[in-house]
């Protein structure tokens, strides 16, 4: 019976341990934290968005960091397999807006506990409070691991699934990068993805907590539109966050990491209207409120807290009388409503990112088996690998697919020597 050690009990590690045990492996899952699945507990705002109901090509498309690398392992264990896996474990699921799949209970703990019980039912040993500090390597093969308490464990295969470097309180402190480097692997630069953005403009503090729905945010650099997303966002004391901002943040973070000093963010507050239709709407409102101050003439168009900010960006005084606003000024105001400018000067720290981008270079991993191409018997899975996705269940699907491939093939001992 093959002895398999899995390092890290997040989604990828737990799935890897389950797959290896189901295929007859003698499996030990090692987790340095007191409890398994700590980061899974907080995914989906504590509800655990386990996968997406999109078809496989769409899932791969939403894995923006090296999605094509996952083609083999996602097709071998796709979203329907993930759904069947959890429902067989007694965790009924539901599909919500945006094809996001959640447990019906809306409790992430149900997902984690079901996986833990399944591991024990399969005969896998789960050790918590057990930190791995070193891989035992000999003649191009992994022979086991050394623990921080000084003891060592022998193995036929080792699966590293230690996570990235975001949310370190959950145990994702980047330990696996050092272990991979010691085995000769390349670790590409890591940076935050799915992370709030920091703005230069101080006015965001005046509207912190304000949520906007049905807006379009466009990220621009050197006059070129890099990306744009439609949906919901939120102002904070430091800048902006919310679903569409998190989607943009991966590209923003990448550009900032490459040395770009600042980026432009344009908010279209009325994306459902063309310029002409918005101008007509503005003219109707102004006719209705022509003797009011401009601030009051905008009450039907914008949230109250945002009105003076938009007027300032359009170089208009909120105390002006509506009837005195010229056609040229109205045109400027319409343009501002559809491209309210913000300057992105940074992201929140990596520790606050939902996902870590970068990691172990995919060119050094067999995409079918998740086996190292450099060290026989060594496998990788999850956020540790240079793979990352947008929100919507795609990151967990990637973790489960990689973990399943690594678990199965660690028992079969397939891979490249």
């Amino acid at each position: 019976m093959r002895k398999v050690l899995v390092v890290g009990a997040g989604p990828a590690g737990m799935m890897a341990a389950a797959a290896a045990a189901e295929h007859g492996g003698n499996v030990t899952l090692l987790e340095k934290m007191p409890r398994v699945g700590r980061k899974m507990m907080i995914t989906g705002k504590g509800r655990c968005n386990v996968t997406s109901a999109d078809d496989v090509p769409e899932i791969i498309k939403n894995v923006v960091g090296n999605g094509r690398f996952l083609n083999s392992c996602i097709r071998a264990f796709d979203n329907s397999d993930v759904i069947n896996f959890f429902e067989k474990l007694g965790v009924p699921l539901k599909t919500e807006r945006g094809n996001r799949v959640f447990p019906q209970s809306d409790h992430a703990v149900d997902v984690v506990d079901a996986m833990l019980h399944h591991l024990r039912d399969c005969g896998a040993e789960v050790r918590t409070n057990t930190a791995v500090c070193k891989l035992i390597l000999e003649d191009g093969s992994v022979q086991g691991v050394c623990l921080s308490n000084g003891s060592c464990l022998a193995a036929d295969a080792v699966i590293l699934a230690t996570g990235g470097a975001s949310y370190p309180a959950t145990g994702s402190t980047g330990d696996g990068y050092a272990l991979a480097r010691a085995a000769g692997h390349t670790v590409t630069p890591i940076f935050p993805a799915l992370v709030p953005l920091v703005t230069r403009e101080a006015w965001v503090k005046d509207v912190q907590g304000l949520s906007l729905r049905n807006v379009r945010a466009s990220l621009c650099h050197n006059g070129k539109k890099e990306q744009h997303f439609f949906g919901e966002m939120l102002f904070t004391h430091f800048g902006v966050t919310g679903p569409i901002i998190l989607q943009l943040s991966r590209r923003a973070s990448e550009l900032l990491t490459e040395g770009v000093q600042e980026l432009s963010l344009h908010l279209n507050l009325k994306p459902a209207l063309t310029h002409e239709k918005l101008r007509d709407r503005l003219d109707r409102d102004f006719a209705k409120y022509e003797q009011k101050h401009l601030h009051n003439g905008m009450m039907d168009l914008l949230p109250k807290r945002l009105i003076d900010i938009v007027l300032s960006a359009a170089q208009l005084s909120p105390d002006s009388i509506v009837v005195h606003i010229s056609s040229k000024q109205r045109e400027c105001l319409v343009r501002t409503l559809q491209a309210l400018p913000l300057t992105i000067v940074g992201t929140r720290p990596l520790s606050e990112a939902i996902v870590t981008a970068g990691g172990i270079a995919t060119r050094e991993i067999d995409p079918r088996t998740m086996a190292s191409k450099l060290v026989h018997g060594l496998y990788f899975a999850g956020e540790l690998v240079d793979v990352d996705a947008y929100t919507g269940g795609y990151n967990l699907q990637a973790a489960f697919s990689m973990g399943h491939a690594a678990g199965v093939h660690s028992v079969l001992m397939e891979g490249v020597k």
Side-chain angles (χ1 to χ4, degrees):
M1 185 182 290
R2 296 285 188 185
K3 174 64 177 174
V4 179
L5 297 176
V6 182
V7 185
M14 293 178 80
M15 185 61 79
E22 288 167 357
H23 283 75
N26 178 0
V27 179
T28 302
L29 176 60
L30 307 172
E31 170 56 51
K32 70 178 182 181
M33 301 298 285
R35 196 190 193 307
V36 302
R38 288 287 298 276
K39 192 172 180 183
M40 261 177 46
M41 297 280 201
I42 62 173
T43 61
K45 297 181 180 177
R47 298 172 60 220
C48 198
N49 183 188
V50 294
T51 188
S52 167
D54 289 348
D55 59 22
V56 169
E58 188 66 17
I59 291 174
I60 292 172
K61 180 181 175 182
N62 279 277
V63 182
V64 285
N66 292 314
R68 291 175 63 186
F69 170 78
L70 295 182
N71 189 63
S72 295
C73 69
I74 282 187
R75 292 184 184 279
F77 191 74
D78 64 16
N79 50 347
S80 63
D81 294 312
V82 168
I83 290 168
N84 290 335
F85 174 83
F86 285 112
E87 295 201 324
K88 284 180 180 178
L89 297 189
V91 183
L93 304 175
K94 60 182 177 180
T95 302
E96 296 188 357
R97 181 173 57 89
N99 275 342
R100 297 169 186 246
V101 180
F102 293 91
Q104 287 185 15
S105 67
D106 286 330
H107 294 141
V109 66
D110 294 342
V111 175
V112 176
D113 285 348
M115 294 189 81
L116 181 58
H117 293 149
H118 179 61
L119 286 169
R120 289 171 173 159
D121 290 344
C122 290
E125 180 184 2
V126 180
R127 296 194 197 178
T128 54
N129 295 305
T130 305
V132 171
C133 62
K134 183 181 178 183
L135 296 176
I136 302 172
L137 304 169
E138 187 177 316
D139 297 328
S141 295
V142 66
Q143 304 294 315
V145 302
C146 292
L147 307 179
S148 57
N149 65 8
S151 64
C152 294
L153 301 174
D156 299 300
V158 173
I159 302 172
L160 289 184
T162 54
S166 56
Y167 286 104
T170 66
S172 296
T173 53
D175 304 351
Y177 302 131
L179 295 174
R181 285 192 187 99
H185 275 275
T186 303
V187 177
T188 65
I190 63 171
F191 57 93
L194 302 183
V195 65
L197 299 177
V198 179
T199 64
R200 172 181 293 161
E201 290 79 7
W203 60 254
V204 294
K205 295 179 183 178
D206 299 328
V207 288
Q208 62 179 302
L210 176 63
S211 176
L212 300 179
R213 296 177 180 272
N214 303 320
V215 297
R216 177 173 287 111
S218 300
L219 182 72
C220 303
H221 172 51
N222 285 340
K224 173 191 172 187
K225 185 183 290 186
E226 294 282 340
Q227 283 182 321
H228 62 91
F229 290 98
F230 171 85
E232 186 175 352
M233 61 165 289
L234 176 74
F235 291 104
T236 70
H237 67 283
F238 56 77
V240 286
T241 187
I244 60 174
I245 300 301
L246 295 179
Q247 303 286 71
L248 289 170
S249 69
R250 204 265 185 200
R251 180 57 180 152
S253 184
E254 188 175 39
L255 288 166
L256 292 165
T257 300
E258 291 171 0
V260 174
Q261 295 298 308
E262 59 182 48
L263 300 162
S264 297
L265 185 69
H266 295 153
L267 304 180
N268 187 339
L269 304 175
K270 299 293 175 182
L273 300 177
T274 64
H275 179 93
E276 292 75 17
K277 287 184 178 181
L278 182 55
R279 173 62 192 266
D280 289 343
R281 164 70 191 278
L282 189 73
D283 286 342
R284 288 197 304 272
D285 283 3
F286 280 11
K288 179 180 177 182
Y289 298 115
E290 61 180 10
Q291 298 304 320
K292 300 276 188 181
H293 287 117
L294 185 53
H295 174 93
N296 295 325
M298 299 285 289
M299 294 293 280
D300 294 347
L301 203 58
L302 289 173
K304 184 177 180 180
R305 295 166 65 194
L306 199 57
I307 292 174
D308 287 359
I309 290 165
V310 170
L311 292 177
S312 176
Q315 298 183 318
L316 292 169
S317 169
D319 295 325
S320 300
I321 302 301
V322 169
V323 73
H324 296 153
I325 304 302
S326 68
S327 177
K328 184 177 180 181
Q329 289 173 318
R330 294 181 188 207
E331 280 294 307
C332 180
L333 182 52
V334 169
R335 287 195 297 272
T336 303
L337 285 165
Q338 295 196 310
L340 180 64
L342 280 165
T343 307
I344 304 302
V345 294
T347 71
R348 294 297 284 178
L350 178 58
S351 61
E352 295 180 23
I354 295 174
V355 171
T356 306
I360 299 169
T362 55
R363 67 179 180 275
E364 298 170 356
I365 303 171
D366 184 322
R368 185 177 67 89
T369 65
M370 298 307 295
S372 165
K373 293 181 179 180
L374 309 181
V375 178
H376 186 62
L378 181 62
Y379 297 77
F380 301 103
E383 198 175 340
L384 180 65
V385 180
D386 184 8
V387 169
D388 64 281
Y390 291 137
T391 58
Y394 307 113
N395 283 293
L396 277 182
Q397 177 64 52
F400 291 140
S401 294
M402 285 188 275
H404 188 268
V408 170
H409 295 289
S410 68
V411 176
L412 300 177
M413 290 304 286
E414 295 180 354
V416 180
K417 280 193 177 183

